[in-house]
Amino acid sequence: MIAWIIAAVVVVILIIIYISAYNGLIKGRTYVQESWSQIDVQLKRRNDLIPNLIETVKGYSHYEQSTLEKVVGLRNQLVNSSGDDHQKTMAVSDQLSNSLKSIFAVAEAYPDLKADQEYTKLMEELTNTENKIAYSRQLYNSSVASFNLKIQSFPSNIVASIHHFKISEYLQVPEEEKQAPKVSFDK
């Protein structure tokens, strides 16, 4: 009789551990999805700001057409992407961020543009959005790390393999952005 009670207690404990591990994996996967959603929201916000910025800059910089076209093309690429390939989405987003830096540089050549209140407001909003994108990327990678840890740790790794949970990929920084900028003090 005592053996049956002990066996029943062990089974109940194992069931509780299993349910806890499964729920932890579901929670981790949900956090990863939610943190990607935050990136997506910020990318949409930036994409919504870009047409206003282009219109504002267009009036001042007739000679910078290729920069503006590149920004519009990358924005359209992001808007039309499926969003399933996070690495590809972020690669296009990184290219767009770099192109926006070119527009910031264009403003330096046009003092009237720098003084334009609409331009200043848009640049401030874009800068804030870029900062939010960077923060959201950090949150995503943190959520991925936590989720991947659960997938690889005992006993949740057993539950993860039974239910086919897969390791999530971190968002990577492009190699060219990891390199230190080359600075020359020669004139």
Side-chain angles (χ1 to χ4, degrees), residues 9 12 24 36 123 136 146 164:
V9 168
V12 167
W36 176 255
M123 293 310 293
S136 297
S146 179
H164 308 291

Side-chain angles (χ1 to χ4, degrees), residues 53 103-104 118-128:
L53 176 69
I103 289 181
F104 297 166
E118 182 67 19
Y119 174 79
T120 304
K121 184 178 133 197
L122 285 167
M123 293 310 293
E124 188 176 305
E125 286 185 49
L126 272 170
T127 301
N128 289 338

Side-chain angles (χ1 to χ4, degrees), residues 89-104:
T89 299
M90 292 315 301
V92 174
S93 175
D94 291 340
Q95 290 175 5
L96 183 55
S97 291
N98 289 334
S99 294
L100 286 171
K101 290 175 189 171
S102 298
I103 289 181
F104 297 166

